[in-house]
Amino acid sequence: IPGASEDIIEKVGFVADRMSVNLELPTKEGLQQLAPNKNYTNILKPMKQIQMGSGRLISDGKEGYQIVTRTGRKNNSKFVPAGQSTQMIIGATPENDYQIMRVSEALYEKFHLKRVFYSAFINVNGDSSLPVLPGGPPLLREHRLYQADWLLRYYRFHVDELLSEDRPNFNIYLDPKCDWALRHLDTFPVEINRASYQTLLRVPGIGYKSAQRIVAARRDTALTY
């Protein structure tokens, strides 16, 4: 829970395989609107502590932190060995898909998160201050965000390849990888015996495990139908 003491985070980190500090909402503005008792500083600080390993965080005064450990080791392998994750609520505030995925990409790069979870907003208690979504919870949107998240983590895509400020939301009819391919037909067809692993990853229908198998198999023989 954001605001938990550093000592508690350290103790829990040695008995849990993974920890999660929930971002709750994608932007500071959304957090201020719906959860004004929370702030990004209290959320990001424990994320940095978990990333750095066991010990106490000391601010360097430049929006960064250094770690002071009690064990003398910066990254203890027994501390949160499976890494950390976070969660964002989708649809409660007006951020578009591009903004959401930019936040996720930054979290993966800066905090080395293992996973970002996306939860379609459901107005459980019917509070009048919360939005009413005509189509119900945005489950298809949640699904597209998960698909795009996999492209970031396993397929070496960058957010700016999938979306832009001029095209800020995913296609509801096509998965993000297929949508990207249709917008880049000049890169196809792909010669499967010569294409790089990176190129194979971008072919719709080929997953990262299949791409690995293709690269391994063609070392011994030319691939045919």
Side-chain angles (χ1 to χ4, degrees), residues 57-186:
L57 281 176
I58 304 297
S59 174
D60 63 7
K62 300 178 181 178
E63 297 185 354
Y65 296 93
Q66 61 180 348
I67 197 80
V68 177
T69 66
R70 297 185 179 87
T71 61
R73 289 176 290 182
K74 185 176 180 180
N75 288 304
N76 192 307
S77 61
K78 295 181 180 179
F79 184 83
V80 196
Q84 64 173 314
S85 59
T86 192
Q87 180 184 23
M88 289 187 277
I89 298 171
I90 305 304
T93 46
E95 296 89 4
N96 56 46
D97 295 344
Y98 182 55
Q99 291 174 297
I100 293 169
M101 294 310 302
R102 286 287 299 272
V103 171
S104 296
E105 187 172 57
L107 290 172
Y108 286 130
E109 292 176 353
K110 295 179 180 179
F111 295 94
H112 304 156
L113 263 65
K114 294 295 184 181
R115 187 79 183 270
V116 175
F117 291 91
Y118 309 91
S119 296
F121 169 67
I122 302 174
N123 192 342
V124 178
N125 58 9
D127 192 307
S128 60
S129 64
L130 298 174
V132 177
L133 304 180
L139 297 176
L140 179 56
R141 184 185 184 194
E142 174 192 288
H143 182 56
R144 291 284 179 254
L145 290 169
Y146 272 118
Q147 290 175 318
D149 190 270
W150 275 67
L151 295 182
L152 298 186
R153 290 187 293 129
Y154 294 105
Y155 292 80
R156 303 183 183 181
F157 276 84
H158 296 286
V159 172
D160 288 335
E161 295 179 276
L162 302 173
L163 297 170
S164 66
E165 292 183 358
D166 297 329
R167 189 176 174 278
N169 293 302
F170 289 115
N171 189 328
I172 63 171
Y173 300 106
L174 296 171
D175 71 79
K177 185 179 178 183
C178 185
D179 186 58
W180 176 88
L182 290 174
R183 290 184 287 109
H184 294 81
L185 290 176
D186 56 301

Side-chain angles (χ1 to χ4, degrees), residues 37-52:
N37 59 321
K38 298 184 179 182
N39 65 72
Y40 260 42
T41 300
N42 287 343
I43 293 173
L44 297 180
K45 187 176 180 180
M47 279 188 178
K48 176 58 71 174
Q49 181 184 358
I50 296 169
Q51 176 198 355
M52 297 293 289

